[in-house]
Amino acid sequence: MLRGVAGRRTDAQARETRRRIVERAADIASRDGLDGITIGRLATDLELSKAGVLGHFGSKQELQLAALEYAVEVFRASVWEPARDAPPGLERLLAICEAWAAYAEDPPFSGGCFVATTSFEFATRAGRVHDELATVGRRWKRALTAEVEIAIEAGELPAESDADQIAFTLDAVASGTKPALYLLGDDTAPRRGLRAMRQAIGVDEAVVATR
Amino acid sequence: MLRGVAGRRTDAQARETRRRIVERAADIASRDGLDGITIGRLATDLELSKAGVLGHFGSKQELQLAALEYAVEVFRASVWEPARDAPPGLERLLAICEAWAAYAEDPPFSGGCFVATTSFEFATRAGRVHDELATVGRRWKRALTAEVEIAIEAGELPAESDADQIAFTLDAVASGTKPALYLLGDDTAPRRGLRAMRQAIGVDEAVVATR
DNA sequence: CCTACCGATCGGTAGG
DNA sequence: CCTACCGATCGGTAGG
């Protein structure tokens, strides 16, 4: 057998292969969940052997965790990064919501938001993937809550605003948009999601209370 | 082999067995999705043979469709039935939201809302399960929209209210509540979900717009 | 509704 | 990163 053809790769080649596997795994998971990832499917898609795929991670769970880490980084780059230079408070909060809507409209994965899909999939399970998703979710909700609190302290939102409630609604609307878009085929969903977020924050024309 | 012990059952016994399988399958799917259902797991849990389980449905897909039909009926009985006698319009819409919050707080399945979980799971797939979920989802959204429209026509909500937008937000908030409750372990989620729904409708004290 | 199977695929390992 | 395996489990069938 010729080394360099079917044998071991250089470190740089190995890293590149690993990256391809992780990207593909994350894309599969955005559609079919982290359990939709199988070693055999990845091997076929990427023209590798199963052992060639698994060797980079050691176990399927490690592969799932690597896909999750990558998808979280993509989420951060798509939703947080475009807003980070906006002034903290209301303006940055709205920039985050707009970046999120753009992310929903033109997603980096073929199945839309990876985090939303896998958060449902692992909501009631035990184990490291669940724990990592919970950590990521709590961190994101804390960041949203903090942003609302800055806006309240700056007087950009009413002092009696409930930061936890607003952060909850933003998060719920964001994840709840996926089935509207993909299952029901409503392509106005990202726009409606953004409008729902703006209403939750209080910058959209709210429907007037009648009682 | 003794018939009546390990052989064929009477029609009534067979129906009862089928019902047990469907209930168990729906409960598993509420946690692990419709793909989390396996014939072998059901057989072990219910102390049946795999052929005994499968014989009632013919294929796994038919079993999934039966579980879905059952779960939709449970949803209808939990969320629509308690509200059906309320006066049509705003009052009935709020009754639906309250019934939904009670359903989220004390769910009939161990993994919470079956419909929310499986709507994410099958959002980007093809096939009969996807199609049936899409039909159910559209029907439910139409019912919510119609209820909002009745409220608008009755003057209970402002004439310029956007019924589609309100129905979208109600649905998104409802499904988005599951990860807050189960993944993040926030047991205030059903209450916050109800409050988000009331704000979307316009009957909760809205945060005042500042720009 | 059971036993006794079937081929396919799963995650994973040994050894090069 | 490959070939060649492993036991376990998958959905499903034959026949009673």
Side-chain angles (χ1 to χ4, degrees):
Chain A
M1 199 173 303
L2 296 172
R3 291 203 317 180
V5 173
R8 291 176 178 81
R9 301 282 181 260
T10 65
D11 278 11
Q13 287 173 319
R15 271 195 302 273
E16 165 67 11
T17 301
R18 192 194 138 101
R19 195 189 53 75
R20 286 174 62 225
I21 298 169
V22 168
E23 282 179 13
R24 185 64 160 230
D27 197 72
I28 290 172
S30 76
R31 285 177 279 126
D32 297 334
L34 282 162
D35 276 353
I37 299 171
T38 71
I39 317 289
R41 181 177 174 184
L42 282 170
T44 304
D45 289 358
L46 301 173
E47 298 186 291
L48 294 167
S49 66
K50 293 202 316 178
V53 171
L54 199 53
H56 288 276
F57 307 95
S59 72
K60 178 172 175 177
Q61 181 168 256
E62 292 298 332
L63 200 171
Q64 291 176 322
L65 290 166
L68 172 56
E69 183 185 10
Y70 172 70
V72 168
E73 174 54 29
V74 169
F75 181 88
R76 205 193 59 75
S78 304
V79 178
W80 167 248
E81 208 62 35
R84 64 174 288 192
D85 290 334
L90 185 59
E91 210 162 326
R92 193 161 67 182
L93 184 63
L94 293 172
I96 290 168
C97 294
E98 277 152 25
W100 169 84
Y103 166 85
E105 184 87 45
D106 185 24
F109 300 115
S110 64
C113 186
F114 173 106
V115 181
T117 300
T118 55
S119 290
F120 273 78
E121 185 185 12
F122 279 79
T124 58
R125 301 194 194 181
R128 289 177 58 200
V129 176
H130 164 279
D131 295 349
E132 185 59 28
L133 275 165
T135 299
V136 167
R138 287 201 191 91
R139 192 191 306 148
W140 179 244
K141 192 162 280 186
R142 265 202 305 274
L144 287 176
T145 305
E147 209 62 42
V148 176
E149 283 167 349
I150 293 169
I152 294 171
E153 278 157 31
E156 298 167 331
L157 289 176
E160 68 273 19
S161 299
D162 184 338
D164 284 322
Q165 174 69 35
I166 292 173
F168 169 89
T169 307
L170 296 180
D171 202 40
V173 165
S175 75
T177 295
K178 175 163 179 171
L181 182 55
Y182 291 94
L183 184 65
L184 308 188
D186 173 12
D187 57 13
T188 70
R191 185 167 57 76
R192 292 209 181 279
L194 178 57
R195 197 169 158 210
M197 288 176 153
R198 293 179 60 90
Q199 192 195 342
I201 294 167
V203 294
D204 204 55
E205 62 288 358
V207 177
V208 180
T210 56
R211 70 172 195 184
Chain B
M1 199 174 304
L2 297 172
R3 291 200 319 180
V5 172
R8 291 176 177 80
R9 299 284 181 258
T10 65
D11 278 10
Q13 286 173 321
R15 272 196 301 274
E16 165 67 11
T17 301
R18 192 193 137 101
R19 195 188 54 77
R20 286 175 62 225
I21 297 169
V22 168
E23 282 180 11
R24 186 63 161 230
D27 197 73
I28 290 172
S30 76
R31 284 177 279 126
D32 297 334
L34 282 162
D35 276 352
I37 299 172
T38 71
I39 318 289
R41 181 176 173 184
L42 282 170
T44 304
D45 289 357
L46 301 172
E47 298 186 291
L48 294 166
S49 65
K50 292 203 314 179
V53 171
L54 199 53
H56 287 277
F57 307 94
S59 72
K60 179 173 174 177
Q61 181 169 256
E62 291 298 331
L63 199 171
Q64 291 177 321
L65 289 166
L68 172 54
E69 183 185 10
Y70 172 71
V72 169
E73 173 54 30
V74 168
F75 181 87
R76 206 193 58 77
S78 303
V79 178
W80 166 249
E81 208 61 36
R84 64 175 288 192
D85 290 335
L90 184 60
E91 210 161 326
R92 194 162 65 181
L93 184 62
L94 292 173
I96 290 168
C97 295
E98 277 153 25
W100 169 82
Y103 165 86
E105 184 87 44
D106 186 22
F109 300 115
S110 64
C113 187
F114 173 106
V115 180
T117 300
T118 56
S119 291
F120 274 77
E121 185 185 12
F122 279 80
T124 58
R125 300 196 195 180
R128 290 176 58 201
V129 175
H130 164 279
D131 295 348
E132 184 59 27
L133 275 165
T135 299
V136 167
R138 289 202 190 89
R139 192 191 306 148
W140 179 243
K141 193 162 280 186
R142 266 202 304 274
L144 287 176
T145 305
E147 208 64 41
V148 175
E149 284 168 347
I150 293 170
I152 294 171
E153 279 157 31
E156 297 167 333
L157 290 175
E160 67 274 18
S161 299
D162 183 338
D164 284 322
Q165 174 69 35
I166 292 173
F168 169 89
T169 307
L170 296 181
D171 202 39
V173 165
S175 76
T177 295
K178 176 164 177 169
L181 182 56
Y182 291 94
L183 184 65
L184 307 188
D186 173 10
D187 58 12
T188 70
R191 185 167 58 74
R192 292 208 181 277
L194 178 57
R195 198 170 157 209
M197 287 176 153
R198 292 179 60 92
Q199 192 196 341
I201 295 168
V203 295
D204 205 55
E205 62 289 356
V207 177
V208 180
T210 57
R211 69 172 196 184

